[in-house]
C-alpha cells in the first residue's frame, strides 16, 4: 500500500500512522526523496485503506495494493456473474429487466408480465413498497403487492426484482424476490445494506442521485462485507440542471465502474429519462458503454399508472429495446439471457 502523508504533520500524527501500520503487521519504508510517501508491505485486508484514511496524518492512499476492498477489481481476477432465475448478469452475460414501476393490481401485473416475457425479459420488476418523495403520494400495495408478485412469478416463470425500504421487511421481501432492490434514496442506508448482506438473495443496488462512484462502490461493500457476494450495481441517472430529463444517465459511470469493480453494472434509462420517448436511445447508450443489463419501466396503460406513468413505455417499444439488446450484445461478443427466441 502507498500512503501519502499530510504536509507538515506533527510527531504524534506520524506516530499514530506508524503505530497502526505496526498493529496491522506492515513493514514501513519511506520512499526517498519524497519523505511524505510511505510504502507499506504486508498482508492487506479490505478494511485497512479506510483505517489509514481516517487518521489525520494521512493525506490519501495512492495505491491500496493488497489492501483492496471487496468490490475492487483485482488484476487477473474474473468478473462476478450474478444469477437471477434464468437471468445472468456480468462476465459476458446481459439480461433485460422490465415491468411496472409499482405493483398495482393482480390483473395489470399479470398482463405486463406476460407481455414483457414474450418479448425477451427474463426478470420482472415491480415495487410493492415504493420510496416516494412525498409522504402523500402512493406508497405501494406493500404486503398485498408481494403476494401478487409471488403469484405472477408462479404463473409466468419470470424471476422477480422488488425494492425493500426497511430492514424489518427484508425477510418477507426475500421470500418472494429473486433479486432485492435497494433504491437510490437508500443507497447510503448502512443498516439496510448490512441486513440484505446477511441474507442470501442477490441485491440490486441503485446509485444515489448525487453519489460519487467510490461512494456507490462502498455502499456495495457493506453488502459484500456481510458475506453476500451477489451485488449488481445500477446507474439510474444523477441530478443535473436541465429539466428536459428527470436525471442525467451517466454512461461514463458505466464504463468507469466496469474498470473499478468486478461486479455487474446495469442501467435504468427510465428513471434517468423520466419520459418514455427517449428510454430506447438511453438503453442503447448504456449497453454501448458496457452495461451488463437494462431495467425499464413498462406499462400497458401509462395514463392509469399509480406512479411514473410518464416514463413508462409500451410493450411494443419494450420489444424494440430487447431486440436492440440482442443485436448489441452480439456485437460485443456477449450473451443475452432470454427464454424466448428474439428476432435478429
Ligand atoms: C424504482 O426503480 O422503482 C425506483 C424508485 O428507482 P430509484 O430508486 O432509482 O429512484
Ligand atoms: Mn419509478
Amino acid at each position: 500500500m502507498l500512503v501519502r502523508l499530510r504536509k507538515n504533520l506533527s510527531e504524534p500524527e506520524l506516530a499514530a500512522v506508524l503505530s497502526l501500520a505496526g498493529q496491522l503487521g506492515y513493514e514501513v519504508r519511506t520512499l526517498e526523496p519524497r519523505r511524505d510517501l510511505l510504502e507499506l508491505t504486508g498482508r492487506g485486508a479490505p478494511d485497512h485503506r479506510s483505517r489509514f484514511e481516517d487518521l489525520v496524518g494521512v493525506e490519501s492512499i495512492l495505491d491500496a495494493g493488497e489492501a483492496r476492498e471487496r468490490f475492487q477489481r483485482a488484476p487477473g481476477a474474473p468478473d462476478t456473474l450474478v444469477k437471477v432465475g434464468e437471468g445472468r448478469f456480468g462476465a459476458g452475460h446481459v439480461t433485460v429487466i422490465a415491468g411496472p414501476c409499482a405493483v398495482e393490481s393482480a390483473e395489470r401485473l399479470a398482463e405486463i408480465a406476460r407481455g414483457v416475457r414474450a418479448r425477451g425479459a427474463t426478470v420482472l420488476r415491480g415495487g410493492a413498497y415504493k420510496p416516494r418523495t412525498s409522504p402523500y403520494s402512493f406508497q405501494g400495495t406493500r404486503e398485498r403487492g408481494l403476494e401478487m408478485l409471488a403469484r405472477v412469478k408462479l404463473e409466468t416463470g419470470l424471476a422477480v426484482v422488488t425494492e425493500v425500504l426497511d430492514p424489518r421487511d427484508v425477510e418477507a421481501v426475500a421470500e418472494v424476490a429473486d433479486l432485492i432492490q435497494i433504491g437510490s434514496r437508500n443507497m447510503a442506508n448502512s443498516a439496510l445494506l448490512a441486513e440484505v448482506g446477511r441474507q442470501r438473495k442477490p441485491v440490486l443496488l441503485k446509485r444515489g442521485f448525487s453519489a460519487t462512484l467510490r461512494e456507490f462502490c462502498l455502499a456495495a461493500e457493506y453488502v459484500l462485507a456481510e458475506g453476500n457476494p451477489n451485488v449488481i450495481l445500477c446507474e439510474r441517472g444523477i441530478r443535473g440542471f436541465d429539466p428536459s430529463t428527470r436525471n442525467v444517465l451517466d454512461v461514463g459511470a458505466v464504463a468507469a465502474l466496469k474498470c473499478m469493480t468486478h461486479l455487474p453494472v446495469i442501467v435504468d434509462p427510465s428513471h434517468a429519462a423520466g419520459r418514455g420517448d427517449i428510454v430506447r436511445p438511453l438503453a442503447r447508450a448504456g449497453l454501448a458503454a458496457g452495461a451488463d443489463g437494462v431495467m425499464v419501466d413498462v406499462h400497458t396503460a401509462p395514463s392509469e399508472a399509480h406512479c411514473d406513468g410518464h416514463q413508462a413505455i409500451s410493450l411494443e417499444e419494450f420489444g424494440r429495446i430487447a431486440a436492440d439488446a440482442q443485436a448489441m450484445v452480439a456485437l460485443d461478443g456477449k450473451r443475452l439471457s432470454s427464454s424466448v427466441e428474439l428476432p435478429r
Side-chain angles (χ1 to χ4, degrees), residues 101 130 271 297 308 311:
C101 175
K130 292 305 302 174
H271 286 82
D297 281 13
D308 289 351
Q311 72 194 32

Side-chain angles (χ1 to χ4, degrees), residues 101 125 130-131 163 181-185 206-207 209 236 246 268 271 295 297 308:
C101 175
R125 64 150 290 145
K130 292 305 302 174
E163 180 163 356
Q181 180 170 325
I182 303 289
S184 288
R185 289 158 191 79
K206 300 189 82 174
R207 180 182 181 188
F209 24 71
R236 45 77 73 202
R246 185 177 179 183
D268 172 349
H271 286 82
M295 177 162 83
D297 281 13
D308 289 351

Side-chain angles (χ1 to χ4, degrees), residues 250-269:
D250 188 358
V251 285
V254 175
L257 283 167
K258 294 294 295 176
C259 301
M260 287 167 76
T261 178
H262 51 85
L263 297 171
V265 179
I266 70 167
V267 287
D268 172 349

Side-chain angles (χ1 to χ4, degrees), residues 29-208:
R29 200 160 66 91
T30 313
L31 291 185
E32 301 288 357
R34 297 285 308 273
R35 298 200 55 90
D36 59 339
L37 279 189
L38 295 184
E39 185 185 49
L40 272 51
T41 334
R43 278 188 47 188
D47 61 314
H48 291 180
R49 177 185 179 140
S50 297
R51 292 180 66 182
F52 280 103
E53 275 175 344
D54 284 343
L55 294 177
V56 273
V58 172
E59 171 84 30
S60 60
I61 306 296
L62 294 183
D63 183 351
E66 291 304 309
R68 68 178 69 85
E69 285 119 345
R70 290 169 172 85
F71 74 82
Q72 279 186 296
R73 191 176 265 299
D79 279 1
T80 292
L81 172 71
V82 178
K83 299 179 183 173
V84 181
E86 290 178 21
R88 301 279 179 277
F89 297 85
H93 295 263
V94 172
T95 292
V96 181
I97 305 175
C101 175
V103 177
E104 296 166 356
S105 70
E107 298 69 36
R108 181 73 73 205
L109 183 67
E111 175 184 60
I112 298 170
R114 283 183 219 117
V116 298
R117 185 179 190 285
R119 290 167 177 82
T122 352
V123 181
L124 174 71
R125 64 150 290 145
Y129 298 91
K130 292 305 302 174
R132 303 308 299 282
T133 302
S134 164
Y136 308 120
S137 300
F138 171 67
Q139 303 290 308
T141 43
R142 311 171 70 87
E143 293 83 358
R144 274 197 313 113
L146 291 181
E147 285 164 22
M148 293 186 238
L149 283 169
R151 273 202 301 279
V152 89
K153 185 170 139 167
L154 261 182
E155 190 211 315
T156 60
L158 285 169
V160 155
V161 56
T162 196
E163 180 163 356
V164 67
L165 301 177
D166 187 320
R168 292 168 296 188
D169 296 326
V170 167
E171 209 180 314
V173 170
E175 261 178 47
V176 175
D178 301 285
L179 176 63
I180 299 185
Q181 180 170 325
I182 303 289
S184 288
R185 289 158 191 79
N186 272 315
M187 186 209 81
N189 182 339
S190 51
L192 186 59
L193 294 167
E195 194 64 32
V196 297
R198 287 190 282 268
Q199 57 78 56
R200 301 274 66 86
K201 291 288 173 74
V203 174
L204 178 64
L205 178 62
K206 300 189 82 174
R207 180 182 181 188

